[in-house]
Amino acid sequence: MKEWKQFLEPYKQAVAELKVKFKGLRAQYELEGVHMPVEFVTGRVKPLASIYDKTLEKDIPFKPSAELAEELPDIAGLRIMCQFVDDIGKVVATLRKRTDLCVIEERDYISHKKPSGYRSYHMIIEYPVQTIHGGKTILAEIQIRTLAMNFWASIEHSLNYKYQGELPNEIRHRLERAAEAAFRLDEEMSLIRDEIHDAQQYFSAYKETADRDYNETKRKGEEER
C-alpha cells in the first residue's frame, strides 16, 4: 500500500495545485469586468478500485509503473464547469495558452457526441510537480462541460455503475433522449445569455449595495450603544 501511496502522491499534488489555479481564473475574469466562463472547478485522483478495473480493461499489470502512468492518463482528473456552451471554447483557448502545462491531446465530444449522448470537451495535459525527490511530470485529464452536461454525465455514470455497463434498452433510450434535452436546454440558454448576464450583474450590484447598507446600519447601531 505504501508503494501505491508514493505513486499517487504527485497526482494528488497536481490536482490540488490545478484546482487552485483554475479557480483563480474566476477572480481574474472578475477583475477584468468581463463574463466569467468558469462556473466552478472540481478534481479527484482515481480510486484504486477504478484503476484496477482499467488495468483489467487494458490488460496491463495492476502495479505502480511507468506503463500504468502512460496507459491511464486520467489518474488525475479535473472538471471545469461552464454556464454556456460557448464558454467551453473560451476555457479551451485559455488553457492552450498557459505555460505551466502542456496540452498533448484533445477530444471534442461536444461537436462529436458519443453514441450514448455524452458531451464534454477532454484535454490530456502534461503537468510538472515538485517533490522532495525532484521534479516529476505527470499526465492529467481536464474535462470542460456545461452544468447540464455534467448533470447528465453524473446520472449516466451512476446508472452504468449500477448495471455494470449493461444498461437495459429502455433506460439507455431514455438517457439518449435526456442527453438531447440537456443540449437543447444549453442552446436555449445561449440564446438569452445577454439577458442572463445583465440579470447576474444586476443581482451582484444589488447584493453589494445591500451588504454595504447593512454594515453601515450595524456600525451606526453599535456606535449609538
Side-chain angles (χ1 to χ4, degrees):
M1 185 57 71
K2 181 179 179 182
E3 190 178 9
W4 274 111
K5 287 182 177 179
Q6 291 174 332
F7 177 76
L8 293 176
E9 186 56 36
Y11 292 95
K12 294 179 181 179
Q13 183 177 333
V15 168
E17 291 179 9
L18 288 168
K19 282 173 66 176
V20 171
K21 290 180 177 182
F22 294 161
K23 287 177 180 178
L25 289 174
R26 282 183 56 85
Q28 294 172 36
Y29 281 111
E30 189 172 9
L31 284 173
E32 293 295 323
V34 296
H35 167 65
M36 294 180 290
V38 178
E39 185 68 11
F40 65 91
V41 180
T42 63
R44 61 95 183 103
V45 172
K46 190 182 286 292
L48 279 178
S50 297
I51 293 176
Y52 177 71
D53 289 342
K54 281 290 185 179
T55 60
L56 292 179
E57 183 181 312
K58 292 179 176 289
D59 193 26
I60 58 176
F62 176 62
K63 63 180 183 179
S65 65
E67 180 187 16
L68 181 72
E70 184 69 24
E71 289 292 329
L72 273 63
D74 63 341
I75 293 177
L78 284 297
R79 286 180 187 161
I80 300 177
M81 255 60 74
C82 306
Q83 282 190 338
F84 304 102
V85 176
D86 291 347
D87 290 340
I88 295 173
K90 295 176 183 176
V91 173
V92 168
T94 298
L95 295 183
R96 287 173 182 160
K97 295 175 184 176
R98 294 186 72 103
T99 58
D100 57 343
L101 56 84
C102 178
V103 179
I104 62 172
E105 184 180 336
E106 299 184 35
R107 296 180 181 177
D108 184 355
Y109 295 121
I110 296 175
S111 300
H112 310 283
K113 67 177 181 178
K114 289 186 176 183
S116 64
Y118 175 87
R119 284 184 169 92
S120 186
Y121 198 98
H122 291 195
M123 305 179 85
I124 303 297
I125 65 166
E126 289 180 336
Y127 181 75
V129 295
Q130 293 297 320
T131 74
I132 59 174
H133 302 295
K136 182 179 179 63
T137 299
I138 67 163
L139 297 177
E141 181 185 66
I142 303 171
Q143 299 176 354
I144 308 143
R145 56 179 65 155
T146 64
L147 299 171
M149 292 175 191
N150 188 62
F151 172 70
W152 183 92
S154 298
I155 298 300
E156 192 237 10
H157 178 77
S158 299
L159 288 171
N160 266 311
Y161 184 81
K162 175 182 178 181
Y163 291 102
Q164 299 181 335
E166 298 295 331
L167 293 176
N169 285 335
E170 181 183 356
I171 292 179
R172 181 165 51 82
H173 292 322
R174 286 183 178 276
L175 273 175
E176 290 171 5
R177 290 196 294 271
E180 289 307 307
F183 192 65
R184 286 197 300 273
L185 172 63
D186 278 333
E187 290 180 322
E188 288 296 328
M189 289 299 180
S190 293
L191 293 176
I192 57 171
R193 63 178 299 156
D194 290 341
E195 288 290 333
I196 294 172
H197 288 164
D198 289 345
Q200 290 172 336
Q201 290 174 358
Y202 174 82
F203 177 76
S204 295
Y206 174 80
K207 186 175 183 298
E208 183 177 339
T209 301
D211 288 344
R212 188 165 56 247
D213 291 344
Y214 170 77
N215 291 330
E216 181 64 20
T217 301
K218 183 179 178 182
R219 183 185 63 80
K220 288 180 179 179
E222 290 173 347
E223 288 177 352
E224 292 174 357
R225 287 201 300 270

